[in-house]
Amino acid sequence: MICIACGSDEAVLAKSHIISNFVRKRLTGEKGRGGSKKFTFKWIGRSDLPNQDLPKPYLMCKRCDNTLGATVERNTATLLMPENVDLFHEWQQLPILECQIHGVFDEPLPLGIYDYPLSQQFLIEKFALSTAWRALHALAKDDEKLSKDFLISARGRGINQSVIRHLFDDAILEDGFAASLYYWPPQTVRFITGKDDEMPFAWVELGDQNEFLGVAVMFAYWVIIWPLFECEEHQRSEKLNRLNKMCFLNWVASVKKQLSQ
Ligand SMILES: [Zn+2]
């Protein structure tokens, strides 16, 4: 089995989390002071996946998996959410600004983005990218066509290498291929799951038969969107709007529908 990061051929790869385990640990209360379980997680569209644990596809060798864990994931938890996730006022102290997403509805869709000093912001961006990158590879391994074709194309291989150099060696990422992480509030989560104590977790490739637009990952209070389309500069906002619409309108609706069944 080939490690998606270093390319080494290992007899056994580590079971990688797409979405870092700290998300589940904090939100289920495993790390909370009370220790009580707070939320259940619901996987979308994959009845074979466990409900309470996060799926762990074989993606990276142990060394690469540990490296990402130590350099990116370990320090991101405290940036994304408060120590005590039950306390509303602790959430309010996080530097989350409102931003507007265009192209989804007639009116701009308001979501939250983090606004940290540069070095911490850099960590959040790396976390978003490493999550989306693992989702892309997991989708390809699951034979999802757009992701699979992308990763074997020359362009896809180039972007993949650029992401790996960025994640593991701090090389500058090729322009336009950063992943965005958005915060959406508890009422949005409730709207999607129809429940107070359930969190949706899913990832998806977005596009149509003509074009791969990107990958999106939803987990608890966050959504990551990673644009991967090819475009001239003047087409960029139109394609981004289409990607946003596929994510926040079509995909959210389909998740909501699946959860209500
Ligand atoms: Zn490796």
Side-chain angles (χ1 to χ4, degrees), residues 3-8 10 13 60-65:
C3 168
I4 61 167
C6 69
S8 72
E10 307 275 333
L13 294 179
M60 280 180 274
C61 71
K62 204 137 194 85
R63 198 165 41 95
C64 293
D65 201 58

Side-chain angles (χ1 to χ4, degrees), residues 10-127:
E10 307 275 333
V12 185
L13 294 179
K15 286 185 170 181
S16 301
H17 287 101
I18 304 290
I19 296 151
S20 299
N21 214 23
F22 73 74
V23 173
R24 182 183 68 86
K25 282 187 174 165
R26 279 213 182 187
L27 292 175
T28 54
E30 275 180 31
K31 276 199 92 178
R33 287 182 199 112
S36 61
K37 191 155 279 184
K38 293 174 184 126
F39 294 101
T40 58
F41 297 112
K42 190 89 179 184
W43 285 99
I44 318 299
R46 293 283 307 272
S47 54
D48 55 315
L49 295 178
N51 238 357
Q52 201 52 49
D53 196 7
L54 306 186
K56 298 184 278 280
Y58 293 101
L59 299 177
M60 280 180 274
C61 71
K62 204 137 194 85
R63 198 165 41 95
C64 293
D65 201 58
N66 287 343
T67 304
L68 266 196
T71 55
V72 179
E73 287 161 24
R74 185 178 300 160
N75 304 312
T76 311
T78 48
L79 300 178
L80 283 190
M81 58 185 125
E83 181 70 31
N84 192 334
V85 295
D86 285 340
L87 296 178
F88 181 65
H89 74 266
E90 286 198 16
W91 282 94
Q92 282 187 310
Q93 282 161 15
L94 296 173
I96 299 176
L97 302 181
E98 187 179 306
C99 75
Q100 299 192 325
I101 305 292
H102 297 272
V104 184
F105 304 107
D106 292 340
E107 298 291 317
L109 169 70
L111 288 174
I113 47 163
Y114 290 84
D115 182 34
Y116 277 106
L118 221 54
S119 63
Q120 290 162 312
Q121 197 67 23
F122 186 63
L123 208 53
I124 289 208
E125 282 162 17
K126 261 195 164 182
F127 167 77

Side-chain angles (χ1 to χ4, degrees), residues 223-255:
V223 185
I224 292 169
I225 299 191
W226 189 20
L228 288 168
F229 50 76
E230 198 170 5
C231 71
E232 303 287 333
E233 200 41 51
H234 69 275
Q235 302 168 306
R236 187 160 181 84
S237 70
E238 181 269 324
K239 291 205 181 190
L240 259 184
N241 288 354
R242 260 202 302 142
L243 178 61
N244 286 336
K245 190 170 187 168
M246 270 188 189
C247 177
F248 292 108
L249 189 63
N250 308 68
W251 187 43
V252 164
S254 118
V255 166

Side-chain angles (χ1 to χ4, degrees), residues 187-208:
Q187 57 267 34
T188 309
V189 176
R190 269 199 298 279
F191 166 79
I192 295 170
T193 64
K195 291 180 183 151
D196 272 338
D197 59 352
E198 194 171 274
M199 299 279 191
F201 278 69
W203 47 81
V204 71
E205 56 176 32
L206 297 169
D208 53 35

